[in-house]
Amino acid sequence: MKRNNFLILSLAITLAAYHPLPAQESTFDRKADSVLRLMTLEEKAGQMNQYNDDWNATGPMTAKSDMAGQIRDGRVGSILNAAGTARTRTWQEMAMQSRLRIPLLFGQDVIHGYKSTMPIPLAESCSWDMEAIERAARAGAAEASACGIHWTFAPMVDITRDPRWGRVMEGAGEDPLLGARIAYARVKGYQGDTPGAVNSLMACAKHYAAYGAAIGGRDYNSVDMSDRMLWEVYLPPFRATIDAGVGTFMTSFNDINGVPSTGNPYLLRDILKGQWGFEGFVVSDWGSVGEMINHGTVKDGYEAACSAILAGCDMDMESHDFVDYLPRLVNEGRVPVALIDDAVRRILKKKFELGLFDDPFKFCDPEREQREIYNPEHEAAALDMARKSIVLLKNENQLLPLSKELKTIAFIGPLVKAVKENKGFWDNEIAGVDSNFIVTQWEGLENKVGKTARLLYARGCDIEGQRRDGFAEAVEVAAQADVVILSIGEHRAMSGEAKSTSDISIPGVQEELLAALLETGKPVVVLINAGRPLVFNYTADHAPAILYTWWLGCQAGNAIADVLFGDYNPSAKLTMTFPLSVGQIPIYYSHFNTGRPAPDDRNRFYNSSYIDLSIYPRFEFGYGLSYTTFEYSNLQLDKKQLKTDETITVSFTVRNSGPYDGEEIVQLYLRDLVGSITRPVKELRDFRKISLKAGESMVVQFIIDKEKLSFYNNQLQWVAEPGEFGVMIGASSRDIRLKDTFVLLD
Ligand code: NOJ
């Protein structure tokens, strides 16, 4: 009890310290305060309560009595998963019957598009193209906001290094720098420049924090990590969302070093609202306030609500604990009302910013809804994003691009004619995506060469299961063709929330089908559709050409056909390491050197290695081919020594030395050769995506400053230590084309 009193006191002091002074208060602050003054304690707790709509669920359904009545009583501040202007209008009308007529906030998971589905976020990240990523998020925001939604639970900015974790599909991969830039672009895409613009959504950075580091890659599992690792790898993308002006944060399900994130004052009050000065509000993940009982840090809902509000969580998604217990907690002296006021003020401010007090039905215009849904501009953004997301992993003897003169093409596999599969996991069943607006892979091929070539189809086998009775037909079809395209991979429900798996190899007998097709002697191009990096050693060793096509959204078929026939030259590069075997996980490029590094795969017995397997991945971070080739040359550093207030300009030439125009993602890696603590063997510190016509050259420059040389030392200070640094220019994290060193002076 003593401890609690102390906590309350120090929280009140903290609150006083960072609540803006009256002179600096914005109009929204003043407006929020004017409403706050009128509210009863019960109404305040109601604002902090979020319920799921009656008819859809993206988490375990909970029973709540008379939601309509509770809205009218001012006991609900927000609803998730209400879709469409008609539905949201109905709920909003009820809120308008409450005493203070405070509008509801409608939230939903608009993760990769709304009705016009975009590639899954991990696929998009492989474009390394911030403008395209921002545009894709914008399109989702334009559609969803036209359907009555105010707030998306995106972007997910969790760094992840474990492809067993099903939610890798929702993030931007393993690297903090790239993750931070993508996080920034996505927030800008969703929110636009003006808060409350009618075609925008308020964004939510999730899941705070370190959710992607769940032990064993098992969703919802605990996380145990050093503070240094947290700050260096897992927090930067969250920080970037604040720089982009993100409106809200969502806590994560996991406990971290023994403290559940939803009841974690260090994460929420100290770092987020304190050190980072975040002025938006924090929503719990679904039921995660109440789940602290299962974590074993509180004994019941009353204590759970207490722990969450003290820690800095402002809104309770679907636990019902805030609405049930906060008034009592205040009345019994366990929670200062100042904390409740702070939380409610944050929520009201967002409602003001969105313009909901001026017009609660601002986002409920059925005409705009009709206009925006499947708007051709969104389809165009989806196509652009999808083409830029496809990674060319292998292309022996330049099998790709295929000629448009081919006479007969066999398109085989369980995913060729799949419709829903292209949508990926967060495909908004709630929004009700119309299958007519999904271009299947088969349709894409028909659109491209249907008039000139004979197209043959066989399913061959299922995604899962052991049935091989379709092989004979597939082989027969292949035998008639000039080229075979085989589309295999995962079912879309195999990656996503609660879709962790211990086996990430290509399911069922799909690789056996490939073997049967290769026996025909025909050239086979393999498309791998998945929500995560898979293990596919047979395919990687034997197929002459492989495109990793992820789940590409509504324009999947057209994007794949564009790449297959060279109307788009693939430019994507992997943002997660692809392991050789699940036994290598976690595997990532920016590892430490160790005291016994294994420089190659030979002398491995007294090195940090495996006795039965290489330590190298199948495909590394930053890897991806093009139909053309790029030569790197002439690395120059404008100085070999710099003082901490100086910069070094690194320049080099990249030449498109192949036969096609193309884009290349050039990567700058640095290594701090001797540090006060161990430093990774390399870290991505910058990159550029450049476009070069066949034969064209370009001088590329990177500026190295103190920031790029800094890291968190053991005292969690952000420091650049004097000494020697390695600079590496790579076409991937392993394919280092140019190197040099320089010295940072005292
Ligand atoms: C649980 C998920 O973890 C979170 O990402 C999502 O936003 C909520 N459910 C709401 O659907």
Side-chain angles (χ1 to χ4, degrees):
M1 184 50 103
K2 248 193 185 145
R3 210 182 122 251
N4 255 345
N5 284 343
F6 175 72
L7 184 63
I8 290 169
L9 183 68
S10 55
L11 285 175
I13 293 168
T14 318
L15 262 179
Y18 68 78
H19 186 253
L21 298 169
Q24 299 164 321
E25 271 184 353
S26 70
T27 323
F28 296 131
D29 277 299
R30 280 199 301 278
K31 287 183 172 174
D33 276 338
S34 69
V35 177
L36 192 61
R37 275 195 290 276
L38 305 174
M39 294 173 79
T40 63
L41 188 52
E42 282 68 26
E43 285 166 339
K44 290 176 184 174
Q47 277 309 299
M48 298 166 70
N49 180 32
Q50 184 186 55
Y51 280 152
N52 187 56
D53 194 345
D54 286 344
W55 59 355
N56 299 300
T58 48
M61 273 305 267
T62 53
K64 40 193 171 280
S65 59
D66 185 20
M67 185 153 128
Q70 291 197 52
I71 293 173
R72 288 193 191 97
D73 285 349
R75 286 165 61 80
V76 183
S78 171
I79 294 183
L80 77 148
N81 292 336
T85 53
R87 183 81 175 170
T88 50
R89 177 176 283 276
T90 308
W91 290 125
Q92 200 66 297
E93 277 168 357
M94 289 175 196
M96 290 305 106
Q97 292 160 31
S98 65
R99 190 178 75 90
L100 292 174
R101 298 163 50 89
I102 300 177
L104 289 164
L105 192 59
F106 295 103
Q108 199 167 311
D109 294 286
V110 182
I111 308 291
H112 46 108
Y114 191 58
K115 295 223 184 203
S116 307
T117 41
M118 301 291 151
I120 57 168
L122 182 60
E124 289 186 1
S125 73
C126 293
S127 70
W128 302 50
D129 185 327
M130 301 311 129
E131 279 168 28
I133 290 174
E134 189 174 326
R135 251 193 326 270
R138 267 245 52 67
E143 276 190 15
S145 62
C147 297
I149 296 158
H150 310 138
W151 175 26
T152 174
F153 305 129
M156 182 189 105
V157 303
D158 298 310
I159 295 297
T160 174
R161 295 171 166 188
D162 191 333
R164 292 171 299 181
W165 190 51
R167 300 195 81 166
V168 298
M169 53 87 40
E170 262 177 87
E174 73 183 50
D175 185 71
L177 176 115
L178 181 58
R181 293 207 187 160
I182 292 176
Y184 186 95
R186 288 199 167 127
V187 171
K188 287 285 182 202
Y190 287 125
Q191 296 195 157
D193 291 328
T194 333
V198 81
N199 59 352
S200 299
L201 293 172
M202 179 164 70
C204 179
K206 71 184 190 185
H207 306 81
Y208 187 65
Y211 183 41
I215 294 171
R218 225 179 64 214
D219 210 359
Y220 316 126
N221 205 3
S222 299
V223 170
D224 201 303
M225 72 165 58
S226 68
D227 263 1
R228 200 189 50 71
M229 180 70 106
L230 178 71
W231 277 91
E232 196 159 298
V233 177
Y234 290 85
L235 293 187
F238 286 102
R239 173 69 234 197
T241 65
I242 294 189
D243 296 338
V246 73
T248 63
F249 260 55
M250 185 186 290
T251 65
S252 56
F253 285 122
N254 55 286
D255 56 309
I256 172 161
N257 303 334
V259 185
S261 300
T262 308
N264 196 318
Y266 174 55
L267 287 178
L268 301 176
R269 290 232 183 261
D270 184 354
I271 301 176
L272 179 61
K273 293 179 174 178
Q275 296 183 47
W276 292 349
F278 174 62
E279 291 187 353
F281 72 85
V282 177
V283 63
S284 78
D285 203 346
W286 182 297
S288 68
V289 174
E291 285 176 15
M292 287 194 280
I293 303 169
N294 289 338
H295 280 291
T297 53
V298 295
K299 71 173 190 307
D300 53 24
Y302 175 85
E303 297 290 342
C306 185
S307 168
I309 179 68
L310 291 183
C313 176
D314 304 305
M315 185 180 278
D316 170 2
M317 181 192 289
E318 266 294 321
S319 283
H320 309 193
D321 290 327
F322 274 9
V323 69
D324 287 348
Y325 301 114
L326 284 182
R328 220 177 92 203
L329 281 160
V330 173
N331 290 332
E332 291 174 2
R334 295 284 304 277
V335 170
V337 75
L339 290 188
I340 308 280
D341 286 351
D342 176 63
V344 176
R345 184 182 294 110
R346 287 167 182 271
I347 296 165
L348 293 176
K349 256 175 76 176
K350 290 298 163 197
K351 292 185 176 182
F352 274 109
E353 265 176 38
L354 291 170
L356 295 175
F357 277 96
D358 298 330
D359 177 5
F361 303 103
K362 180 175 165 187
F363 295 83
C364 285
D365 171 359
E367 271 173 33
R368 186 165 85 90
E369 184 172 34
Q370 284 317 310
R371 230 182 17 251
E372 286 296 335
I373 289 174
Y374 305 121
N375 176 331
E377 272 179 33
H378 306 158
E379 313 275 306
L383 177 62
D384 176 58
M385 193 69 262
R387 299 187 330 173
K388 290 175 172 163
S389 302
I390 298 171
V391 191
L392 176 64
L393 293 179
K394 189 173 175 187
N395 194 18
E396 253 172 31
N397 304 320
Q398 282 72 53
L399 173 55
L400 291 173
L402 300 175
S403 157
K404 288 183 189 156
E405 312 297 309
L406 286 169
K407 296 265 176 315
T408 309
I409 300 169
F411 204 178
I412 295 173
L415 287 150
V416 174
K417 293 198 173 178
V419 181
K420 279 181 157 192
E421 297 312 320
N422 299 297
K423 297 193 291 178
F425 182 78
W426 283 107
D427 67 339
N428 272 308
E429 285 297 358
I430 295 165
V433 175
D434 182 345
S435 295
N436 290 323
F437 286 90
I438 294 171
V439 182
T440 66
Q441 299 181 7
W442 178 257
E443 288 163 348
L445 189 69
E446 275 184 329
N447 293 344
K448 182 67 65 186
V449 288
K451 294 209 175 74
T452 53
R454 189 162 72 106
L455 305 183
L456 307 174
Y457 166 73
R459 183 174 167 84
C461 64
D462 294 330
I463 294 174
E464 289 179 280
Q466 297 301 308
R467 289 184 61 171
R468 296 171 180 81
D469 50 359
F471 280 22
E473 185 201 6
V475 167
E476 203 183 298
V477 161
Q480 298 172 47
D482 305 319
V483 70
V484 178
I485 308 165
L486 173 66
S487 184
I488 56 177
E490 281 192 318
H491 192 280
R492 78 187 171 116
M494 287 176 167
S495 291
E497 185 180 345
K499 301 292 180 290
S500 293
T501 175
S502 63
D503 180 2
I504 58 166
S505 49
I506 295 204
V509 293
Q510 297 180 90
E511 285 198 295
E512 281 183 42
L513 174 62
L514 168 63
L517 297 174
L518 288 171
E519 290 261 301
T520 63
K522 300 287 179 174
V524 182
V525 178
V526 179
L527 311 179
I528 302 182
N529 309 265
R532 54 154 62 83
L534 292 175
V535 167
F536 45 92
N537 291 318
Y538 177 82
T539 307
D541 288 337
H542 296 93
I546 306 170
L547 288 167
Y548 214 78
T549 55
W550 309 102
W551 298 121
L552 290 176
C554 62
Q555 285 291 321
N558 287 335
I560 290 171
D562 282 352
V563 169
L564 283 171
F565 292 90
D567 288 334
Y568 182 79
N569 183 357
S571 59
K573 301 215 180 200
L574 299 176
T575 56
M576 265 188 93
T577 305
F578 276 44
L580 268 176
S581 147
V582 80
Q584 290 181 319
I585 298 170
I587 180 167
Y588 47 94
Y589 82 91
S590 63
H591 57 83
F592 295 130
N593 202 36
T594 81
R596 292 193 175 190
D600 56 45
D601 270 348
R602 284 183 307 262
N603 300 315
R604 54 166 94 123
F605 294 103
Y606 290 94
N607 290 328
S608 174
S609 60
Y610 299 109
I611 59 170
D612 61 342
L613 190 67
S614 165
I615 58 162
Y616 292 109
R618 182 89 233 186
F619 299 108
E620 70 274 11
F621 174 86
Y623 172 83
L625 302 172
S626 161
Y627 294 151
T628 192
T629 46
F630 296 98
E631 277 174 17
Y632 291 56
S633 63
N634 197 24
L635 176 63
Q636 291 188 359
L637 275 56
D638 71 342
K639 48 178 100 64
K640 294 284 280 179
Q641 297 188 330
L642 80 160
K643 298 190 198 118
T644 46
D645 58 349
E646 292 177 338
T647 60
I648 287 189
T649 302
V650 173
S651 53
F652 53 98
T653 304
V654 183
R655 190 171 85 84
N656 180 343
S657 48
Y660 301 94
D661 299 350
E663 289 162 292
E664 172 73 329
I665 299 164
V666 292
Q667 301 156 43
L668 169 75
Y669 295 93
L670 294 180
R671 177 172 182 182
D672 189 342
L673 291 166
V674 181
S676 58
I677 55 172
T678 52
R679 300 302 305 141
V681 292
K682 55 177 84 79
E683 290 174 283
L684 183 73
R685 290 304 199 190
D686 210 344
F687 62 86
R688 271 189 59 197
K689 188 168 184 173
I690 56 171
S691 183
L692 289 175
K693 299 220 172 305
E696 199 186 350
S697 297
M698 181 190 278
V699 175
V700 180
Q701 283 192 345
F702 290 118
I703 309 283
I704 297 177
D705 59 8
K706 188 180 161 208
E707 271 300 291
K708 291 196 172 73
L709 306 178
S710 298
F711 63 95
Y712 288 100
N713 67 12
N714 256 352
Q715 288 72 48
L716 285 187
Q717 293 153 332
W718 181 244
V719 291
E721 293 179 345
E724 198 179 11
F725 287 80
V727 53
M728 292 158 270
I729 304 297
S732 82
S733 59
R734 212 174 155 188
D735 183 7
I736 298 300
R737 302 287 182 87
L738 305 166
K739 307 188 201 195
D740 205 341
T741 57
F742 61 88
V743 172
L744 176 66
L745 300 170
D746 266 321

